[in-house]
Amino acid sequence: MKYFSTRGHPGERSFEDVVLAGLAPDGGLYIPRDIPTLPENWETTWATLSYQQLAINVISLFVSPNELPLDDLEALVNRTYSVGPSAFREQSITPLVQLDQKKHVLELFHGPTYAFKDLALQLVGNLFEYFLGRRNAQKAPGEAPEKLTIVGATSGDTGSAAIYGLRNKANISVFILFPKGRVSPIQEAQMTTVLDANVHNLSVSGTFDNCQDVLKALLADREFNDKHSLGAVNSINWARILVQIVYYFSAYFQLLNNPSADLNHSEIQFVVPTGNFGDILAGYYAKRMGLPMGKLGVATNSNDILARFWNSGTYQKVDPTADAVEGGVYATVSPAMDIAVSSNFERLLWYLAYEEAEHTQDEEKRAAACERVSQWMAAVKNKGAVDLSAVLEEARRDFVAGKVNDEQIIATIKKYHESNSYLADPHTAVGLHAAKAFEKSNSESTIQVVLSTAHPAKFAEAVQRAQSTFDPETVFGDLLSRERRVETIEGTEEELVGLVMKVIERVASEQSS
């Protein structure tokens, strides 16, 4: 399996190259040359597999055994998804909780940092270590080892998950950028209380999008990138998307083995609270591979660029009908989704552009799709908006979308706690509220699976507005009072890239002296 850039940069890359690079040289995102189909009889042969075995089977469809031998993949997966107090706390890794006859919650927060990002970043961290270690093992005695500088932008959960996946790994430094004052107290504490020498937290003035713009600028700077061997942990890294495909299959088989769920006469709808479009994009790949499901439900908070696209066909950073806010991003009770531009949406756009291309030959259609995506992304960068009405109907074949505001989020947390004895975090509440709205367009037999992306204790302030007696210390203990290490980066949007570069340069100099 080879990978190529959504914007058409010449050449195809190996899985190892794509994992270590993160972003393509032309600013595009890597996608697989082909989407593999499922093996014959997969529904029966995979039905009783553990999560670890499912992961091995799914990931191996996208990675050549010549590049990552099956024995090594099995070892990496089993090491990643171990069960224990400091690893994954549930034997099934991603348990499916039934709320009623037609609605289930897929809990993705049972990893080390209590968020769904653990499922991908624990394995991605081990892949970084594996590929880097293999390269260094081939060096001559006395030759300097290769090093990797991982940079991540986070609205809260990616940062802590990346840190826990990369802390104390040899020859790897990690720099996490988060928007100052725009992550929850627990999220910030999970990042900044990790004092390992290779972990560096940067509190950046502005919004998550400012952090993400800095990340993309660093990766696009070839001289700086080559000097520091930069890599990315955000979902722009293909490995993040690949690993997340697995839990859609896990949910399917948990439903299949549930006597009350008749999948022979029911359609599954996955409803996903999403900001950067990575979590739900993994579901799209699962569907393209052949996993049975209906339309995927895109659930956004008040930062609703995705919902507005599916409503109008226009992809626009700032809603011209809404009140102006700093950076075009509203600070909500679901901060992990507080973004203006959804980076992974570009990957979906490539497939939509491919289907819309007028050519008949595959290579011509691919080239046309890359050119179209490059033009669209340039319009978003330069003008803040692009008309995508030409592919809207194609997008509506596989997705529906809805927006949920803060008031609805709090009311939904309260509703499910009182009626179902289920306490949801604010992001899961976005999914639950949107799922109720999507029901109106579903058949009566549709079974909905809402992806639960974080433990409610990570967003205690919002949860306490709905359930006043909730105490996050029962989960996180004295986390908020522990020693911290963090550096503040303040400047204009134009200055931020240079300021972060200086920090990375300084740390690299200190490490080499």
Side-chain angles (χ1 to χ4, degrees):
M1 176 71 76
K2 294 293 184 180
Y3 296 83
F4 66 96
S5 169
T6 51
R7 302 186 192 181
H9 186 267
E12 296 179 342
R13 305 287 294 273
S14 68
F15 179 70
E16 177 178 346
D17 289 341
V18 166
V19 170
L20 295 177
L23 194 69
D26 59 357
L29 305 184
Y30 287 113
I31 57 176
R33 168 76 191 185
D34 299 292
I35 299 176
T37 55
L38 297 172
E40 189 176 353
N41 300 323
W42 68 274
E43 276 192 283
T44 53
T45 56
W46 290 7
T48 58
L49 296 184
S50 67
Y51 190 92
Q52 294 84 345
Q53 292 167 326
L54 264 182
I56 294 163
N57 277 274
V58 170
I59 294 169
S60 64
L61 295 175
F62 289 87
V63 185
S64 167
N66 295 327
E67 188 174 2
L68 181 56
L70 186 58
D71 287 347
D72 289 356
L73 175 60
E74 289 176 352
L76 285 166
V77 167
N78 289 327
R79 174 183 163 197
T80 297
Y81 300 116
S82 61
V83 178
S86 61
F88 287 86
R89 296 176 298 280
E90 289 286 333
Q91 194 69 37
S92 62
I93 308 298
T94 58
L96 190 68
V97 177
Q98 186 166 353
L99 298 182
D100 57 43
Q101 193 67 22
K102 298 296 174 60
K103 191 175 275 89
H104 298 70
V105 171
L106 183 65
E107 292 187 341
L108 306 176
F109 55 72
H110 293 286
T113 71
Y114 293 77
F116 83 100
K117 307 291 178 74
D118 289 321
L119 288 155
L121 284 169
Q122 287 291 307
L123 182 55
V124 170
N126 286 333
L127 285 169
F128 282 142
E129 184 179 48
Y130 172 83
F131 287 132
L132 193 62
R134 187 167 68 181
R135 290 183 177 190
N136 285 330
Q138 297 169 353
K139 291 186 175 295
E143 188 178 359
E146 284 191 37
K147 296 185 177 182
L148 195 60
T149 303
I150 300 300
V151 185
T154 185
S155 52
D157 288 336
T158 291
S160 56
I163 287 168
Y164 277 65
L166 292 167
R167 62 190 302 181
N168 205 30
K169 288 193 182 296
N171 297 314
I172 298 177
S173 296
V174 56
F175 294 81
I176 297 298
L177 288 61
F178 65 89
K180 184 179 181 180
R182 284 178 173 258
V183 299
S184 80
I186 291 291
Q187 287 177 312
E188 182 168 343
Q190 281 188 318
M191 293 184 283
T192 58
T193 58
V194 177
L195 305 179
D196 297 66
N198 72 323
V199 173
H200 309 277
N201 282 287
L202 306 181
S203 175
V204 179
S205 59
T207 69
F208 167 74
D209 287 82
N210 295 127
C211 297
Q212 188 159 250
D213 287 344
V214 171
L215 167 63
K216 291 181 178 179
L218 294 177
L219 293 172
D221 187 317
R222 296 316 306 165
E223 182 179 352
F224 189 81
N225 195 331
D226 291 343
K227 180 179 180 180
H228 295 283
S229 299
L230 300 185
V233 289
N234 286 69
S235 54
I236 57 175
N237 191 313
W238 163 252
R240 282 272 305 271
I241 307 301
L242 169 57
V243 176
Q244 291 174 179
I245 295 172
V246 178
Y247 48 71
Y248 285 89
F249 283 87
S250 175
Y252 176 80
F253 286 115
Q254 288 183 70
L255 275 178
L256 194 66
N257 294 321
N258 183 343
S260 67
D262 182 6
L263 296 191
N264 291 322
H265 301 95
S266 301
E267 184 175 71
I268 303 173
Q269 179 181 53
F270 289 98
V271 180
V272 187
T274 188
N276 228 6
F277 204 71
D279 204 4
I280 196 166
L281 182 71
Y284 174 75
Y285 277 106
K287 184 176 185 180
R288 290 284 301 264
M289 291 169 70
L291 185 67
M293 69 177 78
K295 291 185 178 183
L296 288 147
V298 179
T300 77
N301 64 13
S302 294
N303 298 291
D304 61 341
I305 185 172
L306 294 168
R308 283 186 280 119
F309 160 72
W310 263 280
N311 181 54
S312 68
T314 300
Y315 189 66
Q316 191 168 20
K317 290 175 68 173
V318 178
D319 184 354
T321 67
D323 295 335
V325 291
E326 179 190 356
V329 180
Y330 295 94
T332 75
V333 298
S334 50
M337 297 158 62
D338 288 352
I339 67 169
V341 175
S342 301
S343 290
N344 276 291
F345 189 58
E346 179 172 339
R347 285 186 164 110
L348 175 65
L349 286 180
W350 189 90
Y351 294 104
L352 299 179
Y354 179 89
E355 294 300 327
E356 192 230 356
E358 297 178 352
H359 303 281
T360 56
Q361 298 299 314
D362 177 65
E363 290 302 323
E364 293 177 338
K365 288 171 71 74
R366 289 175 181 271
C370 290
E371 182 177 0
R372 198 75 186 276
V373 168
S374 185
Q375 293 169 349
W376 285 337
M377 292 299 99
V380 173
K381 180 179 180 180
N382 298 325
K383 301 177 181 178
V386 63
D387 180 8
L388 299 174
S389 55
V391 295
L392 178 59
E393 289 309 309
E394 184 69 23
R396 286 174 171 169
R397 284 199 329 175
D398 291 308
F399 297 88
V400 292
K403 166 188 174 180
V404 184
N405 63 37
D406 277 3
E407 184 179 341
Q408 293 167 326
I409 291 170
I410 300 301
T412 301
I413 296 173
K414 186 174 184 178
K415 170 189 171 184
Y416 278 91
H417 183 255
E418 292 178 349
S419 62
N420 297 81
S421 298
Y422 188 83
L423 190 60
D425 91 290
H427 307 80
T428 306
V430 170
L432 288 167
H433 185 91
K436 185 67 177 178
F438 298 152
E439 282 180 6
K440 300 170 186 176
S441 303
N442 293 342
S443 67
E444 289 187 7
S445 62
T446 299
I447 297 174
Q448 291 180 313
V449 176
V450 177
L451 271 58
S452 180
T453 57
H455 192 286
K458 294 199 75 169
F459 305 94
E461 291 180 353
V463 174
Q464 286 167 342
R465 288 169 59 182
Q467 209 287 87
S468 60
T469 61
F470 178 69
D471 182 6
E473 287 194 11
T474 60
V475 177
F476 292 115
D478 67 347
L479 176 66
L480 292 174
S481 62
R482 294 177 196 166
E483 180 186 354
R484 304 186 184 204
R485 192 176 77 240
V486 60
E487 189 163 345
T488 300
I489 307 292
E490 293 192 355
T492 65
E493 290 185 27
E494 293 74 21
E495 294 171 336
L496 290 176
V497 175
L499 292 170
V500 173
M501 280 183 169
K502 288 181 179 178
V503 173
I504 295 174
E505 291 274 15
R506 188 194 74 226
V507 171
S509 176
E510 291 171 353
Q511 290 176 342
S512 61
S513 61

